[in-house]
Amino acid sequence: MSLVVNTKLSPRLPNDWADLAAPEFRGKVIMPDPRESGTARDLLAAMVSAWGKDDTWAVFDALFANGMVVRGGNGPALDDVGSGNGCAVILGGVDYAAYDAAAKGVPLRVISPASGTIVTPRPVFILNTTKNPAAAKALVDYMFTPEAQQISAAHKMIPARTDIPVAPGTRTYAEVKQLPFSWDQIKGNGAAILAEFIQRYLH
């Protein structure tokens, strides 16, 4: 999860989440709606786990006071910033989608926040209700082959296999500074943190 910046619209390149509360970013920031975006919800929960509620809400108080808008999922937020007709920065943008748009000529820069972020997993499951477990297992096994992981890398995602390199211009897992949190904390606290966020900012 990143700061995704339209370099033609942004007054400068931000370095961290809280930078977007500066006066020059007033009315220029969009955040995917955590009611629609699971990655945005996870980011909120990770921030609270890492910083505590008081410090996290202080950052968001400043962001909302500076005109940050919350609208749609990750795709609409990227369209808004990439089009040049909306905001200039996404708070909590999905990096691989922004890398893909940038490769097509959209003036976007992906910035990993200095204080840390999260790398959200893209899991694959076999449902216990499957009617074809052999085919399901074959698909899951294929997903972790070098061939399939190269497809993931080609789409600007971080491969699950360490022997498959990331696409040129994208970050490796080790290069992303992560917030100190656990996925158990996010699983346990995510719904309550989302409810508090909605109560504070989206009413």
Side-chain angles (χ1 to χ4, degrees), residues 18-202:
D19 290 356
L20 301 180
E24 60 264 39
F25 288 104
R26 183 165 186 81
K28 297 182 182 294
V29 179
I30 188 171
M31 176 184 176
D33 191 330
R35 295 171 294 189
E36 299 183 36
S37 167
T39 51
R41 192 199 84 147
D42 290 347
L43 177 61
L44 286 175
M47 287 173 166
V48 170
S49 294
W51 303 335
K53 282 186 179 180
D54 288 348
D55 288 348
T56 302
W57 298 148
V59 170
F60 280 96
D61 286 348
L63 290 166
F64 279 100
N66 205 39
M68 183 174 77
V69 296
V70 172
R71 187 168 58 241
N74 291 289
L78 185 64
D79 291 343
D80 183 285
V81 169
S83 68
N85 297 319
C87 296
V89 184
I90 306 172
L91 183 147
V94 178
D95 66 340
Y96 63 85
Y99 285 133
D100 190 51
K104 296 173 182 175
V106 181
L108 297 177
R109 178 82 64 87
V110 176
I111 297 172
S112 292
S115 62
T117 186
I118 64 173
V119 177
T120 58
R122 290 291 182 266
V124 57
F125 302 94
I126 298 175
L127 301 180
N128 60 12
T129 56
T130 181
K131 295 180 181 178
N132 196 334
K137 183 178 184 302
L139 174 62
V140 171
D141 288 346
Y142 172 74
M143 291 293 292
F144 294 96
T145 63
E147 179 187 7
Q149 289 294 297
Q150 286 166 354
I151 294 171
S152 292
H155 286 278
K156 314 295 192 296
M157 296 183 182
I158 300 174
R161 294 179 60 121
T162 57
D163 59 336
I164 303 300
V166 299
T170 62
R171 290 171 175 80
T172 67
Y173 186 83
E175 290 173 329
V176 179
K177 180 179 179 180
Q178 295 197 57
L179 293 164
F181 73 97
S182 74
W183 286 105
D184 285 341
Q185 290 171 316
I186 287 182
K187 180 181 178 182
N189 301 331
I193 291 167
L194 174 60
E196 187 170 347
F197 182 86
I198 293 168
Q199 180 64 37
R200 290 178 67 97
Y201 304 115
L202 302 183

